[in-house]
Amino acid sequence: RTAYWQVDPVEPRSEIIDRAGMILRRGGLVAFPTETVYGLGASALDGRAVRRIFEVKGRPPDNPLIVHVAGREMLRPLVRSWPATAEKLMAAFWPGPLTLVLPAAPGVPREVTAGLDTVGIRMPAHPVALALIASAGIPVAAPSANLSGRPSPTTAGHVLQDLNGRIDAILDAGPAGVGVESTVLDLVADVPVILRPGGITPEELEKVIGKVKVDPGADGGDVSRPRSPGMKYRHYAPRVPLVLVEGEPERVAARLKELADNYRALGRRVGILATAETAGKLNGGQVVVAGSRQNPAAIASRLFAALRQLEGRGVDVILAEGIEPRGLGLAVMNRLRRAAGGHIERV
Ligand code: TXA
Ligand code: MG
């Protein structure tokens, strides 16, 4: 049985947080809200507890987990050293959606790092996440709280869809805000490299530390030699095929209409994930508007819920509209390209 506890997102009641913290200390699994998506937490110091995360998610064992801390003092025992750029980034973006990949200290269980000599660490900007980690008094390893490969959960309801009965407890504090996961930044390389675009944009990072590279795998492109194990798996995907169409709104709308008509002629039920710019040109059917192209942050925050929503309406195929890969649009396009698993058209 999974205990379900509703908590206030701003001032969570301490008895509930302490109960959940106790579960973590004893090797259990607790799903909790962060500012990006819901996470599935276990003690980062307990290899057995971390192995359970991999079991319940069906996660490939070579994909390392991010360790969540409630303060800088928790960082020390986890990493061997960090560069001056890490100090600047922590000051600028923590708590927040930025994961720093740093040299791992010997004490970090190999279940967490998947055998790598680095560890990804972040301090989440959510009062419930911070209170939970502080109450447990230990760093918390947490992937997104979905079955491996599925769209990440942005509500407690999504977590229950995937993991009800398989985990010890869930803290429900309403929808996550950012909607896409943290940016994963490798600080071990000479020039910092974005391994996964996310809630902090490349533009924001460069204002603080100058030049950063974006790994070729990070925009959903070439992953033949992945730097981050997570890059090589099909991911974020609904249960039905997703076809991604990228380009100018006018031409995208025309192509989406044409594709939808073709699929319908074959008797398929079609769902469309559109933007405000094209939705008016797509007649009827199952159209979900993710938001305006002018506001990629709004699209990011609705993206995963929209994919689950379309799937829930029983469509056979999802047609999705691409947006400009700038700002948060880069993270959105990374998720969509990977959900499409190669079914991408540029018009
Ligand atoms: O926003 C987030 O980051 C959420 C919330 C729960 O904090 N967590 C999350 O975890 O998205 P997960 O496990 O779904 O994704 C972690 C990503 C994977 O792509 C993994 O390969 C990468 O981070 N990663 C973790 N540790 C790494 C390391 N040492 N080196 C390279 N990549 C690493
Ligand atoms: Mg994930």
Side-chain angles (χ1 to χ4, degrees):
R1 272 216 42 183
T2 299
Y4 171 87
W5 293 315
Q6 234 164 351
V7 292
D8 187 288
V10 184
E11 286 179 49
R13 274 176 52 214
S14 56
E15 309 93 273
I16 294 176
I17 295 293
D18 289 345
R19 266 202 272 175
M22 181 64 83
I23 293 175
L24 289 176
R25 266 207 307 284
R26 291 183 177 161
L29 304 189
V30 177
F32 62 95
T34 80
E35 81 281 29
T36 57
V37 301
Y38 273 71
L40 178 60
S43 165
L45 308 178
D46 181 343
R48 261 188 43 195
V50 172
R51 273 205 299 281
R52 266 191 74 204
I53 289 184
F54 284 82
E55 278 162 29
V56 305
K57 278 183 59 94
R59 183 178 177 100
D62 64 348
N63 194 6
L65 302 182
I66 293 169
V67 177
H68 296 67
V69 297
R72 292 253 210 131
E73 66 290 348
M74 273 193 182
L75 185 73
R76 264 177 198 292
L78 300 171
V79 297
R80 277 203 312 274
S81 60
W82 59 85
T85 46
E87 291 284 347
K88 287 190 197 161
L89 290 165
M90 289 186 264
F93 299 112
W94 279 12
L98 178 65
T99 295
L100 303 178
V101 173
L102 296 165
V108 181
R110 53 183 309 285
E111 286 85 353
V112 171
T113 61
L116 299 177
D117 56 7
T118 56
V119 59
I121 302 186
R122 87 175 188 100
M123 190 193 305
H126 195 295
V128 174
L130 291 173
L132 175 65
I133 301 162
S135 166
I138 44 173
V140 174
S144 49
N146 52 296
L147 288 174
S148 193
R150 304 264 305 133
S152 296
T154 53
T155 68
H158 298 158
V159 178
L160 290 174
Q161 281 172 11
D162 282 15
L163 300 176
N164 196 11
R166 301 191 197 204
I167 61 178
D168 298 298
I170 174 166
L171 299 173
D172 180 357
V178 178
V180 291
E181 300 88 338
S182 63
T183 299
V184 177
L185 185 70
D186 185 351
L187 289 182
V188 177
D190 292 341
V191 178
V193 184
I194 294 177
L195 299 179
R196 176 180 72 181
I200 301 289
T201 65
E203 296 87 339
E204 290 174 299
L205 292 174
E206 289 194 329
K207 273 187 206 145
V208 175
I209 55 165
K211 181 76 189 140
V212 301
K213 285 192 204 156
V214 180
D215 190 279
D219 70 353
D222 177 26
V223 288
S224 46
R225 271 185 289 148
R227 294 275 302 271
S228 180
M231 281 180 192
K232 64 179 186 248
Y233 299 106
R234 181 167 184 240
H235 226 306
Y236 313 115
R239 290 206 171 86
V240 297
L242 182 144
V243 179
L244 177 61
V245 182
E246 301 178 12
E248 293 305 311
E250 295 283 324
R251 297 165 64 160
V252 169
R255 182 59 182 150
L256 287 173
K257 255 185 87 166
E258 189 175 46
L259 280 170
D261 289 343
N262 293 348
Y263 278 110
R264 286 193 195 106
L266 295 167
R268 307 279 166 75
R269 286 160 302 177
V270 180
I272 304 181
L273 179 61
T275 65
E277 283 74 10
T278 57
K281 304 188 184 87
L282 304 165
N283 45 341
Q286 306 285 0
V287 179
V288 169
V289 181
S292 165
R293 286 183 180 226
Q294 303 305 313
N295 187 359
I299 295 180
S301 99
R302 297 209 48 209
L303 178 70
F304 289 132
L307 290 176
R308 283 183 186 252
Q309 192 182 342
L310 281 166
E311 176 188 273
R313 291 187 191 174
V315 300
D316 302 306
V317 60
I318 293 173
L319 309 178
E321 172 180 346
I323 63 172
E324 278 287 296
R326 296 231 183 79
L328 274 178
L330 181 68
V332 168
M333 288 308 290
N334 166 270
R335 307 311 185 266
L336 282 176
R337 285 174 181 158
R338 302 204 31 208
H343 298 129
I344 302 173
E345 285 192 20
R346 294 190 177 81
V347 294

